[in-house]
Structure formats: C-alpha cells, structure tokens
C-alpha cells in the first residue's frame, strides 16, 4: 500500500506523560509569623506529580491483582500445614487409606483433564530466524537520477514530472533506495525475463542467507508460502524456489498473489495454521514485491505515486513448531489478527490495478485511502485489544464504552495505551502519512516509529517485507530484550489491515550480515519535511 498524502506534516513526537506545569516541584518561601524563620509549604501534588506514574501504578496493581490476592492465601495455607503434628498427619493418612476409591477417582479425573488440556493447546510456533535482501549499490536511484530518467524516458508530460518531484520531496525516502536493473536503462526494459531475474535475485539472496544462518537444509522444510502481489508467473514463484533448492516432492507450497502490502502477515498466518496441523516441521515464508513489470508509464496522478515510493526488497522467514527449536529461536508467535473490509465498495477499490485512458497499466490510489485505512485499523485493534492489552486498560476502555453507549455521556472514545502491551512497533513503511497517522492515533513516541521511518528512508516502500527490515533495525540497535513483545502491523489492497504479535525468547544481538550491518551507526537521521534535491 502506498501513501496517497505526501504533503502530510513532519514527525510530531508524542509526549509520554502529562507535563508538570511551570510550578513543577518548586517550593515557594512564605513568612510564618516568627521573626527570622521561614517555612517551606508542601508542594501542590496535582501540579508536581506526573500523572503517568499514577497510571503505571494502577496498571501494576490491576495486572498483579490475582498474585497479590493469592500470596496471603498461600501464606495462610502454609502456616496451617506447618502447624500439623505427627498425629494429625497420621490421621490424614488413615482417612485417605480408607477412601482409596475416592482418591483413585480424583486422580484419574485430574490425569484425564490434564491430558485433554495439553492435547487441545495449540502448538507453539517459533521464528527461528529471518533474512532480508540487501540491494546492490549499483542499482540505487538518487532523486536526481530518478527525475532525469523519468524525463528522458519520454513517457511523462511536464505536469507529471513536476508532480513526481513534489512526491519525492515529501515522501520520507532517502537517496539510497533501489530500483531493479531493467528500470535503469533508457528507455526502461520491462520484460518477463527481467521480472523473473528481479524475483530470483531478491528471493534467492534472502533464502541463501537464511539457510546459512540457521543450518537448516532445504529438504528439511515441509511448508513453503510465498507472497507477491503483482507478479504471478507460471510456474509460480514458489515453484521457482522448489526448483532452485531441490526441495522434497511432498512439500506443501502456496503462492499468494494480489493481496497487497499486508500479505506478509497473511503468509505468516497461513504458515502458522499449517504448523498446527503438521507436527515437528519447518515452514518457510518469503515476502516480496516485483517492480519490473509494474512500472506505470502514463500521466494519471493517482497511478504515479507507486512509482515514487515502491522499491526493491524482500525477506525470508523460517518458522518451526519443534520444541527443540525453542532454545535457538528468536521469537515466539503469539497472535495474528486479520481484518478485511472488502465487502465495502470504497474499500475494495481504494487500491485498484487498472488501465488508464491510454491503456497504460498501473495501480490507482483513492483519495479516501487514509480514511479507509483508519477504519480498518480501528476494527483490527478492537479485535486484538482483548488479546494483548493488560486488564487495567481493558477496564478503562470498557468503562468509557459503557459511559458512551449506555449512559449516553458526551465523552471522547478512549484510545487504549498500546505502549503497555508492546515494547516495539513495526508499522508498514507504506509512506510518510501512514506512519504519521499511526504515531498520532496510537499516541506513540518518536522512538516507537523510528524503525518505520528509517526503513522508509533507507529502503523505501518494499511492500510486505518492510516490517522485517524494521525488525532488523530494532535488533541492529541492540534494543530487543528477552520477553519484549513486538507488534507488526500492515495495510494492503482489498482493503486489509493485518497484525502479528511476537515475543522475544532471548536478548538478540545485532546480525553481522543484516541489511543494516554496514550503516546502523548512521541512524537515526533527521528527515526534513521537504527534501530539496535540486
């Protein structure tokens, strides 16, 4: 999904708490009536106490309410057991001895209940590791080169060229993003062969690194899911991978097409479901997009935006349901939540592949895109909230809902504080306006959206794989600690909003061969609201 509001305002860092005012903790001296003596009054706590700590205390109390209730009970039981003498223990043994049938029946029921519980539990799904494609430096496309090639190609009129310039200036992209080799020729050379070459370069480089990092052999993989929205050749992309790595004949392979930038989470969800059915297995998910045959050579403005934002990229992930992999895996998959708004006609057509009036193929973006994305996000987080939010936030949210719906009070809707549920946020780098809106609506800080902004700046919109470049950024910065929870959220055509929630199983060190390995020390960078490259 691309950003259709390139003129959105620059980053606005959200405050994480309520300010203390100009009074702060300052104490004012006041005369006490005694000669030579002055008394310091108590501070005004309503002004000096930062209310975010009150909220954190409330959150801690409610979250640990059961623990705080059970501890005194357990202490009481322990004290009573400690008071039992030898005679009391002997009497208890005699009682159990003459009620053997009852004891055996209770034991059998406990064993049966425990067996049913453990067998009905879903299998744990682990992310063993992942790898992102890093484009070659020789296919990078600085803004000046992009504009020069667009002009020399002869496909765009002056108004379209100026429109593309304005998009680039406000896009949030940097000068090191990459386009496929076919787009560097004058005139460009899009072809089926060039598109296949782009797909192979991206997918195989990520898979080579993934197999090397994990030590897993291609023949050990039983499930393969590939997603690419706009390029679906025959044989499929999944067949290309099976052929390249000589995977086994009974592999269960799937190829997802036409599902937009959120298809990466859909692919993860499909792999998760397959791993619930097939035990002791590996699944590989490959997320990518292909630009070569999907470049727009016309002058309709709604179709020119993807040219300015989409860039080369892809990622490969190795999932496992083997308990033995828990020790070496990076993350455990906790939840996947999928929201589809395709029943609504406006949502269905807001990202639409079609031909323009001159029969030029492209992807058209509706002016209602951000509003539709907001509605999809609202539905998605409403579904996901009860799964991830602490009890304290759920109680507040429910209270506000009752006040509005039952008592008809004129109160603003309460936005749950997702910062209490997640340590890191990987927001699909679809465009600057997408990140701006989520930062504002979810009340996130600049650090929470840093990975998304820097990924958009360094790699551009790489479609469904962008959330993995963002996760790699967080790891490269050394911010991922054991137990941290990560929210990956992406938007796509249809219209869809999909989320995946992961928990780090260990403190993760920066990869020596990751996409950020040679440049992470340069980030974050300041991104101007309007980038002047003239």
């Amino acid at each position: 999904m691309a950003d259709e509001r390139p003129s959105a305002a620059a980053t606005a860092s959200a405050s994480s708490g309520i300010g203390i005012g100009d009074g702060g903790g300052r104490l004012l001296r006041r005369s006490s009536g005694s000669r030579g003596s002055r008394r310091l009054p108590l501070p005004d706590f309503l002004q000096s106490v930062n209310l975010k700590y009150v909220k954190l205390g409330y959150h801690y109390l409610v979250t640990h309410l059961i623990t705080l209730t059970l501890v005194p009970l357990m202490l009481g039981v322990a004290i009573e057991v400690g008071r039992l003498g030898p005679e009391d223990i002997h009497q208890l043994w005699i009682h159990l001895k003459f009620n053997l049938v009852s004891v055996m029946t209770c034991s059998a029921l406990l064993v049966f209940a425990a067996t049913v519980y453990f067998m009905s539990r879903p299998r744990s799904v682990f992310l063993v590791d992942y790898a992102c494609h890093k484009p070659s430096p020789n296919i990078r496309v600085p803004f000046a080169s992009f504009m020069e090639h667009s002009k020399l190609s002869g496909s765009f009129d002056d108004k379209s060229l100026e429109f593309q310039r304005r998009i680039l200036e406000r896009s949030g992209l940097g000068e090191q993003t990459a386009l496929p080799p076919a787009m560097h020729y004058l005139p460009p050379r899009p072809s089926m062969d060039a598109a296949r070459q782009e797909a192979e370069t991206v997918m195989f480089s990520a898979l080579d690194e993934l197999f090397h990092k994990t030590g897993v052999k291609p023949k050990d993989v039983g499930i393969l899911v590939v997603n690419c929205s706009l390029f679906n050749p025959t044989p499929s992309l999944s067949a290309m991978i099976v052929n390249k790595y000589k995977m086994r004949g009974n592999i269960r392979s799937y190829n997802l097409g036409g599902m937009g930038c959120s298809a990466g989470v859909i692919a993860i969800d499909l792999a998760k479901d397959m791993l619930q059915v097939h035990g002791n297995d590996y699944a590989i998910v490959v997320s990518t997009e292909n630009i070569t045959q999907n470049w727009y050579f016309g002058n309709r403005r709604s179709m020119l935006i993807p040219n300015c934002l989409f860039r080369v990229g892809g990622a490969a992930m190795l999932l496992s349901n083997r308990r033995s992999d828990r020790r070496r895996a990076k993350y455990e998959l906790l939840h996947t939540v999928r929201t589809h708004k395709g029943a609504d006609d406006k949502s269905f057509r807001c990202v639409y592949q079609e031909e323009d009036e001159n029969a030029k193929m492209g992807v058209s973006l509706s002016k209602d895109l951000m509003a539709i994305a907001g509605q999809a996000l609202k539905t998605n987080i409403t579904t996901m909230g009860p799964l991830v939010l602490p009890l304290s936030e759920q109680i507040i949210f429910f209270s506000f809902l009752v006040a509005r719906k039952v008592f008809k009070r004129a109160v603003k809707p309460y936005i749950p504080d997702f910062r209490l549920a997640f340590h890191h946020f990987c927001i699909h780098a679809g465009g600057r306006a997408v990140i701006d809106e989520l930062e504002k609506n979810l009340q996130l800080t600049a650090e929470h959206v840093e990975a998304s902004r820097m990924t958009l700046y360094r790699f551009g919109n790489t479609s469904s794989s962008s959330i993995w470049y963002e996760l790699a950024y967080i790891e490269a910065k050394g911010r991922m600690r054991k137990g941290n929870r990560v929210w990956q959220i992406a938007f796509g055509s249809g219209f869809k909003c999909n989320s995946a929630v992961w928990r780090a199983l260990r403190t993760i060190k920066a990869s020596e061969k990751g996409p950020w390995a040679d440049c992470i020390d340069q980030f974050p960078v300041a991104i101007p609201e309007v980038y002047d490259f003239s």
Side-chain angles (χ1 to χ4, degrees):
M1 185 194 69
D3 170 15
E4 57 91 30
R5 295 203 317 181
S7 60
T11 307
S13 300
S15 174
S16 60
I18 299 177
I20 62 176
D22 59 356
R26 185 175 57 191
L27 303 180
L28 301 178
R29 293 185 176 273
R30 183 184 303 170
S31 173
S32 64
S34 302
R35 174 178 286 187
S37 65
R38 296 196 177 199
R39 181 178 299 170
L40 296 177
L42 291 175
D44 184 352
F45 287 105
L46 291 178
Q47 295 295 325
S48 63
V49 177
N50 195 322
L51 293 184
K52 73 174 182 178
Y53 297 112
V54 176
K55 186 174 182 180
L56 288 174
Y58 162 74
H59 159 67
Y60 183 86
L61 176 64
V62 175
T63 303
H64 298 87
L65 184 61
I66 297 178
T67 303
L68 296 174
T69 304
L70 288 178
V71 167
L73 180 62
M74 296 300 294
L75 286 175
V77 172
I79 291 173
E80 290 299 323
V81 172
R83 291 177 179 177
L84 292 177
E87 184 64 26
D88 297 323
I89 296 175
H90 180 69
Q91 290 296 327
L92 179 61
W93 168 252
I94 293 175
H95 177 74
L96 294 175
K97 183 177 180 181
F98 287 101
N99 290 274
L100 184 61
V101 176
S102 300
V103 173
M104 293 295 293
T105 302
C106 291
S107 300
L109 289 174
L110 287 173
V111 171
F112 176 76
T115 302
V116 171
Y117 172 74
F118 285 107
M119 290 188 66
S120 61
R121 288 181 62 190
R123 289 188 175 97
S124 297
V125 175
F126 308 110
L127 174 63
V128 180
D129 213 332
Y130 65 97
C132 298
H133 169 71
K134 187 172 183 179
S136 173
N138 60 5
I139 61 170
R140 292 177 181 174
V141 52
F143 291 161
S145 298
F146 181 95
M147 292 306 304
E148 182 183 7
H149 277 65
S150 296
K151 182 178 182 179
L152 295 177
S153 69
S155 301
F156 310 105
D157 58 30
D158 291 341
K159 291 184 178 179
S160 295
L161 291 172
E162 181 58 27
F163 178 73
Q164 291 181 77
R165 173 182 290 276
R166 294 200 307 271
I167 293 288
L168 289 174
E169 288 175 343
R170 297 166 173 82
S171 65
L173 272 69
E175 298 274 16
Q176 299 186 43
T177 60
L179 288 175
M183 296 296 103
H184 289 261
Y185 289 98
L186 283 175
R189 301 178 184 177
S191 65
M192 175 61 75
D193 184 62
R196 286 182 184 273
Q197 189 174 18
E198 179 191 350
E200 290 176 354
T201 300
V202 172
M203 296 191 305
F204 295 165
S205 66
L207 285 167
D208 286 345
E209 183 181 346
L210 182 66
F211 287 130
H212 175 74
K213 289 166 69 175
T214 61
V216 172
K217 298 179 181 179
K219 289 188 178 293
D220 294 334
V221 179
I223 302 164
L224 173 64
V225 183
V226 180
N227 70 270
C228 182
S229 187
L230 295 176
F231 181 58
N232 295 283
T234 300
S236 66
L237 297 178
S238 59
M240 291 165 59
I241 294 174
V242 171
N243 176 261
K244 164 69 175 180
Y245 294 98
K246 310 304 177 187
M247 291 178 163
R248 64 198 199 198
N250 65 343
I251 190 170
R252 292 167 288 274
S253 64
Y254 303 87
N255 205 93
L256 308 180
M259 304 193 80
C261 300
S262 68
V265 177
I266 298 174
I268 291 291
D269 185 58
L270 174 58
K272 178 196 71 175
D273 290 343
M274 295 299 297
L275 288 172
Q276 295 303 316
V277 178
H278 303 281
N280 200 41
D281 210 345
Y282 285 117
I284 279 185
V285 174
V286 178
S287 296
T288 187
E289 192 51 83
N290 196 280
I291 297 174
T292 298
Q293 281 198 317
N294 297 287
W295 196 260
Y296 176 60
F297 293 97
N299 291 289
R300 187 187 292 184
R301 290 192 176 187
S302 63
M303 293 182 172
L304 284 170
I305 299 173
N307 285 10
C308 301
L309 297 179
F310 280 91
R311 297 295 185 264
V312 172
M317 290 66 69
L318 178 66
L319 304 178
S320 171
N321 58 12
R322 301 183 181 189
R323 293 183 180 179
S324 58
D325 283 323
R326 185 183 185 91
R327 293 183 178 179
R328 68 167 180 152
K330 284 186 171 182
Y331 302 93
E332 180 181 3
L333 180 60
L334 300 182
H335 307 287
T336 52
V337 177
R338 295 168 55 180
T339 301
H340 205 306
K341 308 294 286 186
D344 176 71
D345 290 341
K346 282 188 176 181
S347 299
F348 176 71
R349 294 189 64 91
C350 72
V351 181
Y352 202 79
Q353 186 179 25
E354 59 183 344
E355 293 178 334
D356 66 8
E357 55 278 3
N358 297 314
K360 301 290 185 181
M361 183 69 73
V363 176
S364 176
L365 304 180
S366 167
K367 294 181 179 180
D368 300 323
L369 182 61
M370 289 305 300
I372 292 169
Q375 290 298 320
L377 173 66
K378 179 181 177 181
T379 304
N380 189 267
I381 64 177
T382 301
T383 305
M384 187 177 64
L387 300 175
V388 300
L389 286 171
L391 184 60
S392 59
E393 283 297 292
Q394 295 190 44
I395 291 174
I396 298 176
F397 178 80
F398 180 74
S399 301
F400 272 74
L401 186 64
V402 170
R404 294 180 64 225
K405 300 296 184 181
V406 179
F407 298 104
K408 306 299 182 181
R409 296 290 182 86
V411 295
K412 294 182 179 180
Y414 179 72
I415 300 176
D417 190 351
F418 281 94
R419 294 171 298 181
L420 296 175
F422 302 107
H423 300 85
H424 308 286
F425 297 80
C426 296
I427 301 167
H428 164 54
R432 189 173 199 161
V434 175
I435 303 172
D436 286 345
E437 287 299 314
L438 265 72
E439 179 185 8
K440 175 183 177 181
N441 292 332
L442 296 179
Q443 300 176 359
L444 304 179
T445 65
E447 184 174 345
H448 287 137
V449 297
E450 181 183 313
S452 300
R453 293 194 188 282
M454 295 306 107
T455 295
L456 181 64
Y457 179 85
R458 174 62 183 83
F459 295 100
N461 181 351
T462 60
S463 189
S464 57
S465 64
S466 67
I467 54 179
W468 297 103
Y469 287 91
E470 294 164 19
L471 187 60
Y473 179 90
I474 296 169
E475 292 180 3
K477 281 293 183 180
R479 297 172 181 172
M480 190 63 67
R481 305 298 180 193
K482 182 178 179 180
N484 283 183
R485 294 208 291 182
V486 186
W487 180 13
Q488 291 180 324
I489 182 167
F491 302 90
S493 58
F495 188 83
K496 297 179 286 292
C497 176
N498 300 319
S499 296
V501 180
W502 305 86
R503 180 176 60 212
L505 297 176
R506 53 187 170 87
T507 298
I508 299 172
K509 298 180 180 179
S511 173
E512 296 180 356
K513 294 185 178 180
W516 301 91
D518 63 344
C519 62
I520 190 61
D521 293 337
Q522 303 171 18
F523 291 91
V525 299
I527 303 176
E529 182 178 354
V530 178
Y531 185 84
D532 185 8
F533 60 90
S534 58

